[in-house]
Amino acid sequence: MEPEKPNSRAFEAPLWAAADKLRGNMDAAEYKHVALGLIFLKYISDRFNERRNEALADPDSDFLADERDWYSAESVFWVPEHARWEYLKENATSVKPTIGELIDTAMLAIEVENPTLKGVLTKNYARPELDQTKLAEVVKLFSDLAFRDEHHGQDVLGRVYEYFLGQFAIAEGKRGGQYYTAGCVVRLLVAMIEPFKGRVYDPCCGSGGMFVQSEQFIEAHEGGRNDISIYGQESNPTTWRLAKMNLAIRGIEANLGSKWADTFHEDMHPSLKADYILANPPFNDSDWRREKDNLQGDVRWQYGTPPSGNANFAWIQHIYHHLAPHGIAGFVLANGSLSSQQSGEGEIRQRLIEKDVIDCIVALPGQLFSTTQIPVCLWFVARDKSNGIVRDKKLRDRRGDVLFIDARNLGMMKTRTLKELTDNDIETIADTYHAWREKNGKYEDVPGFAKSVKIEGIAAKRFALTPGLYVGQAERMEDGEPFSDKMARLTASLKSQMDRGSVLDLEIRRQLQKVGYGW
């Protein structure tokens, strides 16, 4: 096992516990932006100071310490003097001016100096319901953290940020799922579609986790951040701001639209054709249509108008509409999407299958999401399933075939109620898909786990896409013992146990007789 990196995990839980004291009676959804805003401010201030000290350390370049280009060249935000963390720490009091007022002023100043952050940062730390004494304590607590590593603190700070996002998802319950996807599910999606180079899109990007994992995947495979262009959209204003901050602390440039907006009614990237699409849409969203919308006959509904009571097939078709000619998409949906026949969903799914849009379906184990118990699956759809070359790999001609993977038995319990796919699980699933898709891959059906099925075989199952209908039962391991010998052994064992049971019955009766309860 790879040794734990310094400063990575040791302080996450204590930091959360300490910072959570500030919340008091504040709702987790509201407090989330208070805590994450402080983390963001601490990081950009530390990074500014680090860059400034680089200039001051050299007498020949100390004049650069006050040059904005010196900072922007390394994607470092300009932080005015009174917005820097040292100033806030020195003035962290609950008397006038309160620390909350100073933080609000700092956030405004940073937005003014950095136009890309305009309208993004939290600026209500002086509100009455936020205990200023506790806020001052949290500022001092955060001051002890040194976000430093070989990537200028991005890795360490990013992990703290993700840890907080996960804790808030748990605290918020169902609503938390609007911005947070289980990390192992995101890693699996990225591992399967391998977004090495091109345009990456998430139409419901939440806090931007798909983008972060895509960037990390590229760097792990010796690619460069400039190899991909990132596009996203988010309808929730606070979550949109959260995504902007989450990406900014990692130096990831992304086009999330000029504002937050509903993907169906105000597509911020109408002409985009993406090479890779990753998404975790809201499960079974019943409130996606407006009373007087203009979506009837929308160009995206190529395979049928989605029902107003469930957005699953609206998301599928929106995603497919935005795929480039050789694009691939992977996304999370509720299991109901695999077999539902209600409100025309069965007919839309049938058309998708008949037009050979579906590439692969993966059934996931339960309890992967802290925010919902709804069983979920992964859909992979492709514009072109013929042979070709993608990412320098020759592909098989998979027209007319669909790969089914049943991964419900994988994963391990992380807590009493939460399961997690291990790295080995992710590798097993991804390798199976790649072996099936790539020309030099050595794919074989695995009973109980994976099966390649012709469209005719799916039609015979009424166009249901539930993997369990196709993969069959796992093969049982034979122990080599002849049946007659096994029966003789088991029968002898049963007789011995029954004889022992008779002896125990007599002993129980004798003991009961001693205390006057025999029969």
Side-chain angles (χ1 to χ4, degrees):
M1 180 179 294
E2 184 180 348
E4 194 74 36
K5 294 180 180 180
N7 290 330
S8 62
R9 300 289 181 191
F11 53 73
E12 289 175 351
L15 176 61
W16 165 262
D20 195 42
K21 293 179 180 179
L22 175 62
R23 178 155 64 100
N25 296 323
M26 189 181 299
D27 185 82
E30 190 177 7
Y31 174 62
K32 170 174 74 250
H33 303 284
V34 171
L36 295 177
L38 287 177
I39 292 175
F40 179 80
L41 181 58
K42 175 65 164 66
Y43 172 74
I44 65 171
S45 182
D46 282 2
R47 185 70 184 97
F48 177 88
N49 287 338
E50 181 182 358
R51 185 66 172 160
R52 182 177 177 84
N53 290 336
E54 289 177 14
L56 295 175
D58 186 350
D60 294 330
S61 62
D62 58 359
F63 69 94
L64 293 173
D66 296 317
E67 295 293 330
R68 290 175 183 263
D69 290 345
W70 172 251
Y71 300 89
S72 61
E74 292 293 322
S75 300
V76 175
F77 292 106
W78 178 269
V79 182
E81 184 176 353
H82 287 179
R84 295 170 197 169
W85 195 265
E86 316 89 81
Y87 176 83
L88 298 175
K89 178 185 176 182
E90 292 171 1
N91 292 275
T93 66
S94 57
V95 297
K96 293 291 183 179
T98 66
I99 183 60
E101 291 175 300
L102 293 178
I103 294 174
D104 287 343
T105 302
M107 295 294 196
L108 283 168
I110 291 170
E111 285 192 352
V112 169
E113 298 291 347
N114 302 275
T116 58
L117 294 177
K118 184 178 180 180
V120 171
L121 305 182
T122 301
K123 299 177 286 293
N124 54 0
Y125 288 87
R127 71 185 104 170
E129 60 268 31
L130 196 58
D131 188 311
Q132 296 297 301
T133 300
K134 289 183 178 178
L135 178 58
E137 292 174 359
V138 171
V139 168
K140 292 176 180 177
L141 171 72
F142 278 27
S143 300
D144 295 331
L145 298 176
F147 295 123
R148 299 192 187 97
D149 55 35
E150 63 271 26
H151 297 118
H152 303 293
Q154 289 178 355
D155 291 345
V156 173
L157 195 281
R159 283 192 290 271
V160 173
Y161 208 81
E162 285 297 310
Y163 181 84
F164 269 58
L165 285 174
Q167 293 301 308
F168 279 118
I170 295 171
E172 290 186 56
K174 183 177 180 180
R175 287 176 300 165
Q178 294 177 357
Y179 66 87
Y180 185 77
T181 305
C184 62
V185 175
V186 180
R187 293 197 302 275
L188 175 57
L189 284 169
V190 171
M192 290 184 72
I193 72 172
E194 297 183 321
F196 274 113
K197 182 179 291 186
R199 296 172 297 275
V200 179
Y201 172 53
D202 185 346
C204 43
C205 66
S207 60
M210 300 288 185
F211 304 138
V212 172
Q213 286 296 330
S214 296
E215 291 272 4
Q216 292 176 350
F217 178 86
I218 291 169
E219 292 180 353
H221 291 78
E222 300 182 354
R225 287 188 170 185
N226 293 331
D227 289 343
I228 64 172
S229 301
I230 289 176
Y231 299 84
Q233 182 160 346
E234 173 57 43
S235 62
N236 184 294
T238 52
T239 308
W240 180 80
R241 295 187 183 100
L242 196 64
K244 297 272 281 188
M245 287 193 294
N246 194 16
L247 297 175
I249 62 175
R250 294 171 168 86
I252 298 175
E253 294 186 11
N255 181 348
L256 303 187
S258 59
K259 61 177 182 177
W260 55 90
D262 181 275
T263 301
F264 294 125
H265 295 86
E266 193 175 2
D267 191 346
M268 300 301 291
H269 309 287
S271 60
L272 174 67
K273 297 297 180 182
D275 301 288
Y276 309 97
I277 300 179
L278 304 100
N280 175 24
F283 299 149
N284 301 323
D285 187 1
S286 61
D287 192 31
W288 72 282
R289 292 284 291 269
R290 298 172 183 170
E291 290 185 8
K292 295 182 179 180
D293 63 31
N294 58 349
L295 297 181
Q296 194 70 28
D298 191 283
V299 67
R300 291 170 290 184
W301 313 150
Q302 184 176 345
Y303 299 98
T305 302
S308 59
N310 194 314
N312 286 343
F313 284 86
W315 284 114
I316 294 172
Q317 294 187 84
H318 173 87
I319 287 169
Y320 187 74
H321 172 76
H322 278 287
L323 274 179
H326 298 286
I328 179 78
F331 47 93
V332 188
L333 285 180
N335 277 1
S337 62
L338 300 175
S339 58
S340 171
Q341 297 292 336
Q342 297 177 348
S343 305
E345 289 184 335
E347 288 83 354
I348 298 175
R349 184 173 55 252
Q350 177 176 338
R351 295 185 194 108
L352 289 166
I353 294 168
E354 290 176 335
K355 292 296 184 180
D356 211 7
V357 169
I358 313 301
D359 198 41
C360 176
I361 298 291
V362 181
L364 294 177
Q367 297 178 275
L368 291 178
F369 289 80
S370 59
T371 56
T372 180
Q373 295 300 311
I374 296 175
V376 300
C377 57
L378 301 183
W379 285 59
F380 294 88
V381 302
R383 278 281 184 183
D384 183 2
K385 293 167 62 177
S386 64
N387 54 2
I389 298 178
V390 177
R391 301 180 298 275
D392 298 325
K393 298 178 181 179
K394 294 182 179 180
L395 303 182
R396 278 195 177 100
D397 189 341
R398 281 299 185 183
R399 286 176 291 187
D401 296 336
V402 176
L403 178 63
F404 290 95
I405 297 177
D406 191 343
R408 290 176 297 173
N409 293 325
L410 299 184
M412 61 180 295
M413 297 305 295
K414 182 180 179 182
T415 67
R416 186 175 58 84
T417 59
L418 191 62
K419 185 176 282 189
E420 183 177 63
L421 291 171
T422 66
D423 290 341
N424 286 337
D425 294 333
I426 293 172
E427 184 178 0
T428 297
I429 298 169
D431 285 353
T432 300
Y433 173 67
H434 295 152
W436 177 79
R437 196 69 183 90
E438 295 165 13
K439 209 158 195 174
N440 61 350
K442 297 180 180 179
Y443 172 81
E444 292 182 0
D445 290 338
V446 180
F449 179 68
K451 177 75 173 179
S452 183
V453 182
K454 295 290 184 182
I455 287 178
E456 294 79 8
I458 301 174
K461 300 286 188 181
R462 298 184 61 195
F463 296 96
L465 292 174
T466 307
L469 293 174
Y470 303 98
V471 300
Q473 297 293 322
E475 292 181 350
R476 294 184 178 181
M477 297 293 293
E478 295 293 337
D479 55 16
E481 184 179 11
F483 178 76
S484 58
D485 293 350
K486 183 180 291 187
M487 282 300 297
R489 176 176 58 80
L490 293 175
T491 301
S493 177
L494 177 62
K495 181 179 182 302
S496 174
Q497 292 172 4
M498 293 177 70
D499 291 343
R500 177 60 177 160
S502 297
V503 173
L504 290 174
D505 285 343
L506 290 173
E507 179 62 25
I508 291 171
R509 289 187 180 188
R510 279 195 290 267
Q511 294 299 326
L512 287 172
Q513 285 175 345
K514 288 182 181 181
V515 293
Y517 291 96
W519 66 87

